Amino acid sequence: MAKRAARQRTQLPTCYYEGYLEKRSFKDKTSRKLWTCLCGNNLFFFNEKRDMDYVEKLDLKELISLTDDNSQDRNLDAARLNMQMKEGNIKFTVPSAEARELWKGFIYSVTELSVPSSLNLLPGQIQMLKEAVEREKERLKTTTPPPPAATNSSPYISLIADMPVCYYNLTRMEAELLLDREAKRGNLLLRPGGGGNNFAVTTRQDLDGSIFKHYRVSRKPEGGFNIDVDNPVPCATLHDVINYLVEKTDGVLIPLIIEEQYEKNISFIRSDNENGEKSVQQAPSNLVPPALPPKPGAQREPTPEPVPTSSEEEAIYLNDHELEKDTSKKAMMPPTPAPRKWTKSTSPPSTTAPTNRVRSNSDDVRRIPLAALSELKMKLEQKAKCVE
């Protein structure tokens, strides 16, 4: 089977090899003939050659072994492969023995990043495998690996806020123009590099004119970065990359930091209602900040008004005996009618009320003259003598 020219599919890595394979896994009852593409270190299966959406994916990181199956097939030219994965065994049927050797060669090359020497291949086919290995190495450099299982934080910088202050999202030419225009502020900046997730450092120095240099900063698969020079310099973060270049050049390289300008006074544009002219005016610097509204809460309970107290002590005398003083505080009462004069037809006051009841000034207090009491006493004594 001749190798087709690699064609790009939606959201898939570069295709190294492709062709029809009959696949049967331990889960399948029958084998299926699928168009198979080796893209990166994954096998993608399509129902038809022209389809753009794959129906199944096989991650070759789970590969344990790949061996020949010498059992006979109904098609005498066909050859078989046994692929042992961590989850089980998968059987493939390829159109010919030559195609089987090529599939084995490409699969081993992308998984082990080296060309196997035990395969029976032609020199041109071995060269194809070498090219696939180099392309896969470049792809792995630009692919962000998943974070380690032992930690929840990724070793890579993903937010612009975590970048050094001298990072600018510029192309190579834009970086040179910026360093040339802002030569007084700095001569080193960090920018995006080629290859997706890589970075680059651009520097500018004067020697009979402007001299620009560009250094590639690549990610390491295990985390961190490398300054790609003859002897690669490992750095844990991009901040370490900038610090290393500044320290090793004795401060000759200075990071370019452009501070944004901010207004010192508050100004506004006011329009004149009479002539419609607009003018810029500055707000007074001694403005009082607006008062914040009170926080919503429970309503304040009104303070009860104090009950007026009486400073006068009341003493009521009845039959020349002093009654108890009224020390209780009473609320103001409505006025009562004036007391009526005592008459014989008037019934005496009710005796149901307790004798020690305290009367106020508003009560109807009747005083009996002392002469009448003496006369009544004498009559009672005379009556008592008559009885005896």
Side-chain angles (χ1 to χ4, degrees):
M1 179 181 62
K3 178 180 179 297
R4 295 178 68 257
R7 56 191 173 91
Q8 297 292 332
R9 291 178 182 268
T10 305
Q11 299 179 351
L12 295 184
T14 304
C15 183
Y16 301 133
Y17 194 67
E18 57 186 345
Y20 276 112
L21 291 179
E22 289 188 15
K23 173 182 175 293
R24 182 177 180 179
S25 66
F26 64 95
K27 299 179 181 179
D28 300 328
K29 296 181 179 180
T30 58
S31 60
R32 295 180 298 165
K33 187 176 182 180
L34 302 171
W35 183 259
T36 309
C37 298
L38 176 62
C39 301
N41 55 356
N42 294 275
L43 288 175
F44 294 91
F45 301 95
F46 302 83
N47 287 324
E48 298 293 340
K49 180 179 178 180
R50 61 179 179 272
D51 292 346
M52 299 302 294
D53 297 328
Y54 62 88
V55 295
E56 192 176 345
K57 174 185 174 182
L58 185 63
D59 192 350
L60 296 178
K61 293 178 182 178
E62 308 293 327
L63 177 66
I64 297 177
S65 63
L66 189 63
T67 57
D68 296 341
D69 184 358
N70 296 322
S71 60
Q72 294 293 329
D73 188 79
R74 63 180 181 272
N75 183 4
L76 299 180
D77 294 332
R80 292 183 173 182
L81 271 174
N82 286 331
M83 180 179 289
Q84 184 66 36
M85 307 293 289
K86 291 183 179 181
E87 294 184 355
N89 189 33
I90 302 176
K91 295 182 179 293
F92 291 103
T93 301
V94 296
S96 63
E98 180 184 0
R100 182 175 63 182
E101 292 297 300
L102 280 174
W103 276 111
K104 289 166 57 179
F106 277 103
I107 291 175
Y108 276 128
S109 296
V110 298
T111 55
E112 300 179 0
L113 296 180
S114 62
V115 177
S117 58
S118 59
L119 300 179
N120 186 15
L121 297 174
L122 299 174
Q125 295 171 337
I126 295 176
Q127 183 61 30
M128 292 165 54
L129 297 182
K130 291 181 179 179
E131 294 176 358
V133 170
E134 295 300 322
R135 293 164 68 186
E136 179 64 11
K137 289 181 179 179
E138 290 295 324
R139 188 188 71 85
L140 292 176
K141 289 181 179 180
T142 60
T143 302
T144 303
T151 178
N152 293 329
S153 61
S154 173
Y156 300 122
I157 295 176
S158 58
L159 299 176
I160 297 299
D162 295 332
M163 292 291 184
V165 293
C166 60
Y167 172 80
Y168 301 93
N169 189 11
L170 305 172
T171 63
R172 175 186 288 239
M173 183 172 294
E174 290 173 344
E176 293 180 356
L177 293 175
L178 180 61
L179 288 175
D180 201 11
R181 186 175 69 248
E182 305 291 344
K184 295 181 179 181
R185 298 188 178 185
N187 54 7
L188 176 149
L189 62 82
L190 180 70
R191 61 178 178 83
N197 294 323
N198 294 325
F199 298 90
V201 173
T202 301
T203 64
R204 174 194 175 278
Q205 290 182 286
D206 291 320
L207 182 62
D208 297 332
S210 299
I211 298 178
F212 297 97
K213 293 185 178 181
H214 305 272
Y215 302 92
R216 182 177 180 178
V217 180
S218 61
R219 298 180 184 270
K220 294 191 296 183
E222 65 275 12
F225 301 88
N226 273 336
I227 303 177
D228 293 340
V229 290
D230 291 338
N231 294 322
V233 180
C235 298
T237 64
L238 293 175
H239 294 272
D240 296 335
V241 171
I242 302 301
N243 294 336
Y244 178 85
L245 294 173
V246 173
E247 292 175 0
K248 293 303 178 181
T249 58
D250 295 330
V252 174
L253 295 179
I254 303 173
L256 176 61
I257 301 175
I258 301 178
E259 297 182 355
E260 299 179 357
Q261 298 294 329
Y262 297 94
E263 297 293 335
K264 301 298 183 181
N265 297 311
I266 300 176
S267 60
F268 60 96
I269 299 176
R270 171 171 289 178
S271 178
D272 193 338
N273 295 330
E274 295 181 358
N275 51 23
E277 294 181 356
K278 295 182 179 181
S279 60
V280 179
Q281 298 186 9
Q282 291 188 355
S285 58
N286 57 350
L287 288 177
V288 178
L292 297 177
K295 295 182 179 180
Q299 296 182 356
R300 182 181 299 177
E301 297 181 358
T303 304
E305 297 181 358
V307 179
T309 61
S310 175
S311 60
E312 298 180 355
E313 297 182 353
E314 299 177 352
I316 302 176
Y317 297 91
L318 182 60
N319 297 334
D320 295 333
H321 295 282
E322 183 181 2
L323 301 179
E324 295 181 358
K325 298 180 180 179
D326 185 7
T327 58
S328 61
K329 308 299 184 298
K330 294 186 178 181
M332 297 181 64
M333 301 295 292
T336 57
R340 293 175 295 180
K341 293 184 179 181
W342 178 265
T343 60
K344 292 182 179 182
S345 62
T346 304
S347 61
S350 176
T351 58
T352 57
T355 56
N356 59 347
R357 180 179 177 183
V358 179
R359 298 177 180 271
S360 63
N361 292 335
S362 61
D363 295 336
D364 187 8
V365 180
R366 298 175 175 84
R367 297 181 181 273
I368 302 175
L370 294 177
L373 287 176
S374 299
E375 183 179 356
L376 179 61
K377 185 176 180 181
M378 292 175 63
K379 289 181 180 183
L380 289 175
E381 290 176 355
Q382 292 176 0
K383 186 177 182 179
K385 288 179 180 182
C386 293
V387 173
E388 288 178 1

